[in-house]
Amino acid sequence: METNFDFYNWKHPLGLGTALSTGFLSDYFNIGPLQLLVDIVLFFEVHQPYRLRPDLHRVFPREPSFEELFYSEFDSAVFSRVAERVYRKATKIILEASREVPLKVTFSVSGLALEQIRRWAPDVLELLRELAARGVAEFVAQTYYHSLAWLIDLREFKEQVALQIKAVEELIGYRPTAAENTEFIYNNDVACAFAEMGFKAVATEGVDWVLGWRSPNYVYRSWGCDVRVLTRNYRLSDDVGFRFGARWWDQWPLTADKYAAWLDATPGDVVLIAVDYETFGEHHWPESGIHEFLRWLPREVSKRPRLKFATLTEAALRNPPRDVYDVPPWATISWADERDLSAWLGNEMQRNAFSVLRWLYPYARALGGDALRLWRLLSTSDHFYYQATKSGPAGEVHSYFSPYGSAYKAHDIYMNALAVLLSVIREKWRPQDAERLVFNDERCFHSEGVRLCSLGDLKRTDVEFKRRHKEDLMRWLTDVFLLDEASAEALLK
């Protein structure tokens, strides 16, 4: 039977579930009972930062050690607790369930988390390797440092993603084919950057103002490049991530069979449930019943013929894109707070700290080595998250994660860490390092229609131009390129 019926754009007055249950679609197409398969993607975010010491106010006459800057004993204590409650127990539950039902899950593990797992819980690595080897888990790419690198430099962003891919391959034995930016930060340019790196699919947030009348439960295509986009169903995700243990919630207690029934009643091609992995034992303690929920959910889902577990890449490739997910760069989204960048850049303290971090990047890049490693550690998004001054539910979440008790204290500590980074840069800086600096901001020299952004540009400039602007150029070379007067004088001859 030929028809122009557009199923995905058609709406039954009472909803798709009513259309299915009343047999309307079966009658229309003159076929038997209609069974539309829905891919269930369980996506787990795994990240542990290196936190700065709360007493970071000392002046270092030398390059400080890692232990002097970062709160290693606190990180170790937090990691040990999370590893026991979550990484071991929850992963073993997933492995056990996968032996009984066709379970598939997706992990996104930051490079910093992998470092700490390798150092303090190598047995967890073995569990993750087993999940990968048995085809139960997909591991997607993200920034190694779970950083805000995308907002600073494209080259740095791609290098951090490449570092994380290398770590996943070496430690878990899996080559990522899908990706997410830190905290689901996304716009069209992010998608195209991932497409240039060869990724087939990108995960991000299903934001209401982007989707409009559309549902998050379909595969979309990015605007401007050919990469599939899966959007998180934040309502169903937050039912587990935030509301699971909330006794005030009218759906408490949330059981596996109830949740599976909700999934079964959800229209669409794919339902992306994305939560922090720490949900299963840390954010919700084992006493809440969260482990039993995780244990029985795969079994309850398997009882419903309409539902099928899939990895992110599987769901992205076997379901056709229904429309374009268009997020312009000036309206970048995320999965945090108001689904924008305000979790990290929402107040003047955060923006000031971020501008200093961005200002120091070219110098750390030119030096490389320990200076670049320190800069990257300070680019981790958590440092900015702790500086948020929000109130209400969002503020409570920020306070829960912060080890400092105050956004203002977090800001002071972070600015002291940036001062340490600056001292490291100045201590290590040599004239040859300045040769590698290339700017593309207000640090470029402008005069008479000439724009100089590197020492190479200066060397190609007319001698008379150098003579006319010698005083300003000397200041530029000493202040911006950190050269001594003798080296600066030599460049102006």
Side-chain angles (χ1 to χ4, degrees):
M1 173 181 174
E2 293 186 2
T3 178
N4 292 323
F5 183 82
D6 185 353
F7 172 78
Y8 287 97
N9 290 321
W10 172 84
K11 290 186 177 180
H12 187 280
L14 298 180
L16 178 59
T18 301
L20 291 173
S21 63
T22 59
F24 171 83
L25 295 177
S26 301
D27 293 341
Y28 189 95
F29 287 105
N30 193 28
I31 59 177
L34 188 62
Q35 194 71 43
L36 298 175
L37 291 179
V38 177
D39 285 328
I40 305 300
V41 179
L42 298 181
F43 185 106
F44 304 131
E45 183 84 30
V46 184
H47 168 61
Q48 286 293 326
Y50 289 125
R51 300 163 185 85
L52 294 166
R53 284 191 173 278
D55 58 347
L56 187 59
H57 56 268
R58 292 163 290 175
V59 177
F60 293 94
R62 51 171 173 70
E63 181 184 345
S65 67
F66 188 92
E67 287 71 24
E68 288 171 321
L69 278 177
F70 293 95
Y71 207 178
S72 299
E73 59 270 33
F74 182 75
D75 290 340
S76 175
V78 170
F79 182 89
S80 297
R81 184 181 71 237
V82 174
E84 182 57 31
R85 288 180 176 176
V86 182
Y87 300 159
R88 291 190 183 94
K89 290 185 178 178
T91 309
K92 288 178 180 177
I93 288 171
I94 291 171
L95 269 170
E96 292 168 2
S98 70
R99 296 187 180 104
E100 298 183 21
V101 298
L103 176 61
K104 296 289 186 71
V105 297
T106 300
F107 284 92
S108 179
V109 191
S110 73
L112 296 185
L114 285 171
E115 285 184 12
Q116 295 178 69
I117 291 171
R118 178 177 58 182
R119 178 180 180 185
W120 289 316
D123 59 304
V124 173
L125 273 182
E126 292 300 324
L127 294 173
L128 296 177
R129 288 193 195 103
E130 185 175 353
L131 284 174
R134 297 182 66 244
V136 175
E138 171 182 21
F139 292 83
V140 304
Q142 63 156 292
T143 56
Y144 186 97
Y145 293 85
H146 203 72
S147 74
L148 300 181
W150 170 259
L151 304 174
I152 294 176
D153 183 78
L154 177 59
R155 174 187 175 187
E156 175 65 20
F157 170 77
K158 288 185 174 181
E159 286 191 9
Q160 288 197 22
V161 173
L163 285 171
Q164 192 262 358
I165 292 171
K166 181 180 179 182
V168 171
E169 284 189 292
E170 291 179 351
L171 298 177
I172 300 177
Y174 193 98
R175 174 75 181 184
T177 56
E180 60 130 342
N181 193 8
T182 304
E183 301 293 310
F184 278 21
I185 292 173
Y186 178 90
N187 59 39
N188 299 331
D189 292 344
V190 172
C192 291
F194 279 132
E196 290 172 1
M197 298 182 74
F199 293 105
K200 301 174 182 178
V202 179
T204 189
E205 182 75 344
V207 177
D208 291 335
W209 72 259
V210 180
L211 289 167
W213 58 268
R214 299 170 299 177
S215 166
N217 305 326
Y218 293 97
V219 177
Y220 292 93
R221 176 173 52 84
S222 67
W223 186 93
C225 52
D226 186 20
V227 65
R228 306 284 177 95
V229 181
L230 271 71
T231 58
R232 186 178 83 121
N233 186 313
Y234 72 82
R235 291 179 179 85
L236 285 169
S237 297
D238 290 351
D239 285 341
V240 178
F242 291 105
R243 288 182 285 275
F244 181 86
R247 291 176 178 265
W248 52 260
W249 186 29
D250 61 0
Q251 295 299 322
W252 184 89
L254 180 60
T255 58
D257 59 335
K258 180 192 294 186
Y259 194 73
W262 292 353
L263 294 175
D264 199 22
T266 301
D269 291 339
V270 53
V271 181
L272 172 57
I273 306 299
V275 296
D276 289 334
Y277 200 34
E278 287 76 13
T279 296
F280 301 100
E282 176 67 9
H283 301 168
H284 301 301
W285 285 20
E287 294 79 3
S288 69
I290 192 67
H291 284 158
E292 292 306 305
F293 175 84
L294 181 62
R295 188 185 316 278
W296 288 103
L297 181 62
R299 296 167 175 85
E300 290 296 330
V301 168
S302 68
K303 294 177 182 178
R304 292 160 170 82
R306 182 171 173 262
L307 305 181
K308 182 178 182 180
F309 285 112
T311 66
L312 188 78
T313 299
E314 287 173 346
L317 296 185
R318 71 180 172 214
N319 293 291
R322 298 303 175 185
D323 205 343
V324 173
Y325 201 64
D326 184 7
V327 183
W330 55 86
T332 301
I333 62 174
S334 75
W335 77 352
D337 296 357
E338 290 79 30
R339 273 70 182 179
D340 54 17
L341 299 178
S342 63
W344 310 279
L345 302 175
N347 62 45
E348 286 299 320
M349 291 191 305
Q350 292 169 309
R351 290 190 289 272
N352 177 58
F354 183 75
S355 67
V356 176
L357 178 73
R358 182 166 52 191
W359 184 271
L360 292 175
Y361 170 68
Y363 305 102
R365 159 67 63 181
L367 278 172
D370 293 340
L372 183 57
R373 163 74 172 176
L374 177 54
W375 184 92
R376 286 172 168 171
L377 287 168
L378 295 179
S379 75
T380 299
S381 61
D382 304 66
H383 301 308
F384 298 91
Y385 194 85
Y386 302 148
Q387 298 176 47
T389 52
K390 296 190 176 187
S391 58
E396 291 175 5
V397 175
H398 283 266
S399 297
Y400 169 82
F401 284 103
S402 175
Y404 306 117
S406 163
Y408 304 98
K409 183 177 181 180
H411 176 72
D412 289 344
I413 291 168
Y414 184 74
M415 296 305 290
N416 285 334
L418 290 176
V420 171
L421 173 60
L422 177 58
S423 70
V424 169
I425 290 171
R426 288 191 173 278
E427 180 181 333
K428 292 179 174 291
W429 197 254
R430 301 292 181 270
Q432 55 267 33
D433 298 318
E435 297 283 347
R436 292 188 287 274
L437 287 174
V438 179
F439 299 107
N440 190 29
D441 55 23
E442 65 271 25
R443 283 172 284 191
C444 292
F445 185 92
H446 297 264
S447 185
E448 300 179 17
V450 176
R451 184 172 188 261
L452 308 178
C453 295
S454 68
L455 295 186
D457 292 342
L458 178 63
K459 291 174 182 178
R460 292 187 290 271
T461 303
D462 179 76
V463 174
E464 282 301 310
F465 180 89
K466 297 177 184 178
R467 183 186 60 78
R468 289 194 301 274
H469 299 282
K470 182 176 181 179
E471 183 177 345
D472 291 335
L473 286 170
M474 280 289 292
R475 190 180 303 113
W476 183 59
L477 291 172
T478 55
D479 292 351
V480 175
F481 288 85
L482 309 182
L483 294 176
D484 57 63
E485 289 190 4
S487 298
E489 187 80 38
L491 285 169
L492 297 178
K493 291 181 179 179

